[in-house]
Amino acid sequence: MDPPEPVAAPQEPVLPAYGGGCVADIVPSILETGLQGPPGPLPPEILEARAVVVLVLDGLGAEQLSARPNVAPTLNEMHASTITTVAPSTTASALTSIATGVGVGEHGIVGYRIPTRDGNLNVLRWRTPQGEAVDRHPPERFQPVAAFGGQRPPALQRDEYRKSGFSRAYLGDARRVGYKMLSSLAVEARRLVAAGESFVYAYYEGLDIVAHEHAFGEHYEAELRACDRLMADLLTVLPRGTAVVATSDHGLVDCSKGLVRIDRSVLDCASAESGEARFRWLHARPGRAGDLYEAAAGAHSEHAWVLTATELIDGGWLGPVVTDAARSRLGDVALVARGAWAFSHPDDGKPKIVGRHGSLTSAEMLVPLLVHAA
């Protein structure tokens, strides 16, 4: 028996605001590598600062932050504007857009699971069903767009991620600097700026990890407080003349009551699936693309926005440029989850994921642009 439909107000998809109001526009506006003018109300003092630290707090949605002013007073006080992430609203795609300054259709990291000749590539682990994939799918070729406009700034991330395939793919030639504990992030950022670095990228993933397991209860708020303390520490220890810009890759939705199986009539027309639970690509069997779309629309229009790849590209969801490589990694039909639905997949495994992202609801697409001018 299917679960009851989650209660949600009708909503149209929130499209990425490429060209000034998207996470992809932040780094080019600071490094002056392409965008004409900063995203939103980024004050000119940012561009005049002696140094800028850009911090990405994974999973910090604008709606979730604004709803908790007492939990995160420092972050809320810095909330200068609300911008969008990219589509799909997932870490692999969004972090790559932040670092490269281009849309998903240009850099080609089109989701969490991407089809390859040897099965779906799990981008964050850089593995296929055949195992470790850095040799079979070299990250630097899989994602060829230069990060940070070809510059080589320091990029702070947890030490265990520093040499990963995904880090190689999205950070490119950046000088990857590891830290062990959350408290060390502020220390390392201070050291880098004090040593003369004019731009530092930093990433922290804790809020996203907690929300995946617990959604938005006390665990989430405890982790949000930790993020707020991190920001307060940064503002305290960074050398005078340093500006801070923070944002996120996506928000989240509580999908604990909205998991749904893809209908058998749809699977009969599909040869494979890729993407994520809230942005699922369906790959048609030979000659069945039309049948696949009709079956998906008939079975899942209440659960998702159902679009063909052509409709999605023409609608600008993936940005102004879609390369042949990126197009080849898309399916034929996309199920883009409405409300709090999520599509189950045999590879999901355990632990059960509660907080999810990937779709184009406002809770997932809207992220804060946090600013502290020097």
Side-chain angles (χ1 to χ4, degrees), residues 14 160 195 198 255 374:
V14 176
E160 57 263 39
S198 61
C255 297

Side-chain angles (χ1 to χ4, degrees), residues 99 143 147-148 155 157 166-174 176 201:
Q143 195 297 100
F148 305 108
Q157 56 185 161
F166 176 57
S167 291
R168 286 168 53 183
Y170 95 94
L171 292 174
D173 291 332
R176 301 192 291 278
Y201 169 88

Side-chain angles (χ1 to χ4, degrees), residues 94-135:
L95 290 189
T96 309
S97 282
I98 291 171
T100 61
V102 303
V104 173
E106 189 166 351
H107 62 61
I109 303 295
V110 298
Y112 171 56
R113 295 188 184 98
I114 298 178
T116 71
R117 63 181 180 275
D118 50 325
N120 280 341
L121 175 70
N122 181 316
V123 173
L124 298 184
R125 294 179 174 83
W126 215 262
R127 296 179 63 87
T128 71
Q130 303 288 327
E132 176 65 46
V134 291
D135 292 331

Side-chain angles (χ1 to χ4, degrees), residues 351-362:
K352 181 181 178 181
I353 296 176
V354 178
R356 294 182 182 268
H357 51 82
S359 186
L360 276 74
T361 67
S362 61

Side-chain angles (χ1 to χ4, degrees), residues 265-266 268-270 284-295 332-333:
S265 65
V266 178
D268 286 345
C269 302
R285 297 182 186 276
R288 305 281 317 264
D291 295 337
L292 178 61
Y293 175 79
E294 289 183 8
D332 297 285
V333 175

Side-chain angles (χ1 to χ4, degrees), residues 293-360:
Y293 175 79
E294 289 183 8
H300 293 300
S301 289
E302 292 185 3
H303 306 130
W305 295 292
V306 182
L307 297 96
T308 66
T310 299
E311 289 173 327
L312 192 146
I313 292 170
D314 290 346
W317 288 38
L318 302 182
V321 175
V322 179
T323 67
D324 290 342
R327 178 64 183 86
S328 72
R329 296 169 186 171
L330 307 179
D332 297 285
V333 175
L335 298 177
V336 185
R338 298 176 184 267
W341 289 108
F343 293 98
S344 63
H345 190 277
D347 294 343
D348 286 344
K350 295 182 179 180
K352 181 181 178 181
I353 296 176
V354 178
R356 294 182 182 268
H357 51 82
S359 186
L360 276 74

Side-chain angles (χ1 to χ4, degrees), residues 135-284:
D135 292 331
R136 284 174 286 111
H137 303 287
E140 295 81 3
R141 290 212 299 265
F142 200 86
Q143 195 297 100
V145 180
F148 305 108
Q151 301 182 34
R152 298 188 64 247
L156 270 170
Q157 56 185 161
R158 282 198 183 272
D159 197 57
E160 57 263 39
Y161 302 150
R162 193 164 55 88
K163 297 181 180 181
S164 72
F166 176 57
S167 291
R168 286 168 53 183
Y170 95 94
L171 292 174
D173 291 332
R175 290 170 286 141
R176 301 192 291 278
V177 180
Y179 65 87
K180 297 287 188 181
M181 306 297 290
L182 176 59
S183 57
S184 301
L185 191 157
V187 173
E188 297 297 339
R190 181 196 63 77
R191 287 182 171 182
L192 288 165
V193 175
E197 300 290 350
S198 61
F199 178 90
V200 175
Y201 169 88
Y203 169 74
Y204 177 63
E205 74 286 358
L207 193 64
D208 183 64
I209 292 173
V210 170
H212 278 317
E213 185 172 355
H214 300 286
F216 303 121
E218 59 182 335
H219 293 86
Y220 178 89
E221 295 198 349
E223 183 61 26
L224 182 56
R225 287 190 189 94
C227 293
D228 201 66
R229 287 193 296 272
L230 168 63
M231 180 58 74
D233 287 346
L234 275 173
L235 299 183
T236 299
V237 305
L238 287 173
R240 194 175 188 85
T242 306
V244 177
V245 176
T247 192
S248 183
D249 50 350
H250 56 74
L252 292 112
V253 173
D254 183 347
C255 297
S256 56
K257 297 181 180 179
L259 198 61
V260 62
R261 294 180 180 179
I262 295 177
D263 192 81
R264 173 50 59 186
S265 65
V266 178
L267 296 178
D268 286 345
C269 302
S271 61
E273 303 173 40
S274 61
E276 27 257 297
R278 286 183 55 78
F279 199 118
R280 181 62 48 79
W281 281 109
L282 304 171
H283 301 256

